[in-house]
Amino acid sequence: MKRLFWAAGLCLLPWIAVLGMTLPDVVEARNWRLAWTGFDAAEAFGLLATAWLLGRADPRTPFAAIGTATLLLADAWFDVVTAGDDVVFSLLMAGLEVPLALACLSVAVPRPAAVQAHV
């Protein structure tokens, strides 16, 4: 499995260069509204699932939290790079999404056990 990930990651590097040199700067997108509302619905579901699992002290909480953080960070990235003339609103949205993603990651990262003093 490790070799698969290495190979896939390395194969993406030249593909990224091709995309960077050939993709147009501006395109007309179809289903734009559906794409963004669906993406935000996935984020809402992830936040609600993370909260529910966290409330139950469920061991699956980190998986929901990491998935949700990933969605939020991707949303912030695309908000900013596709902002066009509405950059202020996009930066405000990213200013909400990035801290929410960090909060999700703080839930997912295991905390070290408290050090007990030896008396």
Side-chain angles (χ1 to χ4, degrees):
M1 192 62 80
K2 181 173 70 170
R3 287 184 183 170
L4 170 67
F5 296 145
W6 274 108
L10 291 172
C11 287
L12 274 174
L13 297 178
W15 178 244
I16 292 166
V18 168
L19 291 177
M21 293 183 290
T22 61
L23 283 176
D25 286 334
V26 177
V27 295
E28 183 177 324
R30 295 176 193 246
N31 301 313
W32 191 252
R33 186 177 307 143
L34 176 62
W36 282 106
T37 56
F39 200 84
D40 285 352
E43 291 171 341
F45 177 79
L47 289 165
L48 294 169
T50 300
W52 184 70
L53 292 168
L54 188 60
R56 297 171 45 93
D58 193 297
R60 297 171 294 181
T61 303
F63 299 113
I66 289 170
T68 304
T70 302
L71 289 170
L72 288 163
L73 291 173
D75 193 352
W77 169 260
F78 285 106
D79 281 346
V80 172
V81 299
T82 63
D85 295 336
D86 208 6
V87 70
V88 174
F89 180 73
S90 295
L91 288 173
L92 286 172
M93 290 307 298
L96 295 173
E97 292 157 348
V98 171
L100 267 175
L102 294 175
C104 287
L105 291 176
S106 75
V107 167
V109 175
R111 291 168 182 76
V115 178
Q116 295 181 358
H118 296 283
V119 182

